[in-house]
Amino acid sequence: MYKAASFGLFRAPSALLLRASSAAPPIPKTLTPSSLIGSRSSSYSKSCSVWQRSGLGSCASWRYGSDWRSPLSLRAQIRSSAAVIERFERKMATVATENPFKDILTGLSKPGGGEHGKYYSLPGLNDPRIDRLPYSIRILLESAIRNCDNFQVTKNDVEKIIDWENTAPKFVEIPFKPARVLLQDFTGVPAVVDLACMRDAMNKLGSDSNKINPLVPVDLVIDHSVQVDVARSENAVQANMELEFRRNKERFSFLKWGSTAFHNMLVVPPGSGIVHQVNLEYLGRVVFNTDGVLYPDSVVGTDSHTTMIDGLGVAGWGVGGIEAEAAMLGQPMSMVLPGVVGFKLSGKLRNGVTATDLVLTVTQMLRKHGVVGKFVEFYGEGMGELSLADRATIANMSPEYGATMGFFPVDHVTLNYLKLTGRSDETVSMIEAYLRANKMFVDYSEPQKERAYSSYLELDLADVEPCISGPKRPHDRVPLKEMKSDWHACLDNKVGFKGFAVPKDLQEKVVKFDFHGHPAEIKHGSVVIAAITSCTNTSNPSVMLGAGLVAKKAYELGLEVKPWVKTSLAPGSGVVTKYLLKSGLQEYLNKQGFHIVGYGCTTCIGNSGDLDESVAAAISDNDVVAAAVLSGNRNFEGRVHPLTRANYLASPPLVVAYALAGTVDIDFEKEPIGVGKNGKNIYFKDIWPSTEEIAEVVQSSVLPDMFKSTYEAITKGNAMWNQLTVPATTLYSWDPNSTYIHEPPYFKDMTMAPPGPHGVNDAYCLLNFGDSITTDHISPAGSIHKDSPAAKYLLERGVDRKDFNSYGSRRGNDEVMARGTFANIRLVNKLLKGEVGPKTIHVPTGEKLYVFDVAMRYKAAGHDTIVLAGAEYGSGSSRDWAAKGPMLLGVKAVIAKSFERIHRSNLVGMGIVPLCFKPGEDADSLGLTGHERYTIDLPSNISEIRPGQDITVVTDTGKSFTCTVRFDTEVELAYFNHGGILPFVIRNLINSQK
């Protein structure tokens, strides 16, 4: 029996609401930059503590009248509503008056006297089970204890976490309140759009729309996703920045408006760096000190690579933008208590082996082990051999190995990094003291107590060898010594993740062309894009300076990158530029064409920019399988560039090496990279730096002042950002002619009564997929193809092709994004019987049209649609548009073999039903072609649906089969009942005001 919950069905007693509103000071509109590190001493912090002292739990929770459980808990009692309300109000009057764990609230003394603050002491529980908990689970435990009010978070929830060894295998549900929310530019725009729309909806429903404000600290980083228009140029940064501001001025202005219209939101201006690196070097607190209460930093972010912060010992992972918005608005997150894989590291990396080689090895191991939906926690004596940057590199790629996060508990390496990056000695001292006192610090100089894990893996670092991954997936690791043979196997293999099916007689074909008056040639495997790109590696000085050393050695030996290779360097923060300049290595990177193009996402997100026309023509006219080599984390088909069918992930030094070689069809151990001075053959070993060489230049070039000066400049903004003017209004004035910011129809005709659950009746199959359909296949990403429905929409509104920009830059316009959904040029749809591309079959007529056009035909005729899919549906980046887009196309359900964690949650958040085939079954084994019509008979009463229940799907051909409904928690059922998470929040807020 679930305890009573509000969820908009009941409202809090007016006395409690009056008490809350009279006790809490107003929340300020701005954040104090100086309070970002270690504490937030703002009036907002004080208001939080007032709420806590007044017995109302976490900040403003009662004000928003929400509980993490669903209305299911009340259904059996609703028939006698008067009695229920009376009991409910009595409970409200007695529950949450004080934290039941108040007795373990303990002061943390300073060495010289006084207190750092107070904290909820885990040792104070005197429970031996805590000593066996993984450190990552202890963070969940502390959050539950601190936020426990026996209503939103109960003592039973705390017990579930303490008893993790026994409860985790049972997939129990727990509430979690992260300390903050992190928004990235591309996902931040739709989040702010949705907040603005929610304000409008509440305003239209006659409620106080100003209640829509983030209730936890929100860090929004405009990470300046640079379209690499200007590459080989000394002024590339300024030129690209000016282009970005010209193209995206409206989007940037909108976000600047959001920073003033919504309280508790910090916006980091464009040009500062990529969100994950800024989070690691600057925003990460490790321990919060909010008005004298100490607690661990934790964060959920709207980009899946939020996990990079786990390398700093901060629990963080990616969630959908929809889920993040709910967390911002005070909704506790409901999650399944995860299993934790213990990953033991021993030994030391060999000379010449990079952190990238390590992370690609770890990615392959964990993907094979199976860690989807789990935490991975690293431990062992090998930890001392890994720098913080190495750890962050491994943590960054958690989405690629499928884990919720790859966590590195705080130790002395973490503390040293905090000092290096400019955190004060006092702050670092407080962090260490708190974590030691609360059993969250690892001291490898002391005997280690045995911790329990769900399963175990082990890697001797000495076994790691140089490698790259590709040509189409990040976990398809290839040892460097096997690369040439693997490449030829890919040419031979049938089309697939490891195949291109190039006929034998065409594999050695050489295409000669004229490159600006000079002879040039390419063939299968020729490198045409070489990018040291942000995110995974640019936070790591060893590989960045290693790349500079490769460039220097090669230049001095007489090797240079061919001019038709599009080279670029996009650091994750200005700190990288500072240490590359101090070391003198940026000069040599420039000489090899690796000029700095900007600070943010580039090639990894598809912002590679156009190839030179002569190169593009040579590839297209001769069907060349051209290659890109990049130091990012994503290499899915069609993502990097439409003309590079082979894309390999590699360390920054290897990116430079492959750019110099000009091809991936090379055995670095036996074949020369090129011919240097005096006609001498130059080999890989001649240009590869030793570990000692790299360590020496890191030691002399990476200095704390670089971090301090870089991030002090962030708070001042830049000239272009500071010149943007925005209206001082809380409601946004939507421009119907805008092609960047558009009011979406999510709340059109919204009523106060929830619509209830919906089944699917006689639906057509819009698309029929196989395995590993990623969010890159689903969600609009990269450039807008000139013949696509999105291009047609923009052209009709007077936008020139040169100003199309990218899908990411237009995420605030649902009209563009709906047209770009399923628009990936590498989409493999079984309805097309072998043809690749963004089209599908309109079943009633048999016509082949763009997916958007077919979807609109079905919608106009009043027909529902579904999607059939294989395993790992929705893997890749956590993109809310991968769920928003299908919803706008009219998709009511997705039936797949399995789902990626975040994407399944996003589908639920948009009211789409996720269904899983039974083990051993899929569309093919059931004889489904996608030409059938599908009926999914879900009960119309939400009380008759339960998480994980089986339902029957019936087709018009007489076939029927059983599926599992993937509503995994009671909360998700509540969202579905309301038509999605955002309508649920609005109704909840309005009810709380009554």
Side-chain angles (χ1 to χ4, degrees), residues 852-867:
F852 174 80
D853 294 331
V854 171
M856 292 304 101
R857 281 201 186 184
Y858 285 136
K859 284 191 77 171
H863 298 309
D864 290 343
T865 55
I866 66 156
V867 170

Side-chain angles (χ1 to χ4, degrees), residues 31-33 36 40 217-221 259 264-268 282-283 285:
L31 294 177
T32 308
L36 285 174
R40 275 193 189 274
V218 176
D219 301 322
L220 194 160
V221 181
S259 71
N264 212 27
M265 182 181 290
L266 172 77
V267 175
V268 176
Y282 179 56
L283 296 173
R285 282 69 151 182

Side-chain angles (χ1 to χ4, degrees), residues 496-576:
F497 296 123
K498 294 289 289 185
F500 299 103
V502 176
K504 281 284 189 184
D505 60 332
L506 297 178
Q507 290 184 10
E508 299 301 323
K509 177 178 66 175
V510 176
V511 177
K512 297 183 181 295
F513 63 100
D514 180 87
F515 183 80
H516 299 277
H518 299 280
E521 61 180 47
I522 60 172
K523 56 180 292 190
H524 296 305
S526 287
V527 174
V528 296
I529 291 176
I532 301 174
T533 185
S534 292
C535 202
T536 313
N537 291 283
T538 68
S539 65
N540 195 323
S542 64
V543 291
M544 296 302 290
L545 291 166
L549 287 171
V550 171
K552 180 176 186 288
K553 287 172 179 284
Y555 184 79
E556 291 174 342
L557 290 171
L559 285 185
E560 291 185 45
V561 176
K562 297 292 190 295
W564 56 82
V565 180
K566 187 165 190 178
T567 47
S568 62
L569 168 58
S573 81
V575 176
V576 181

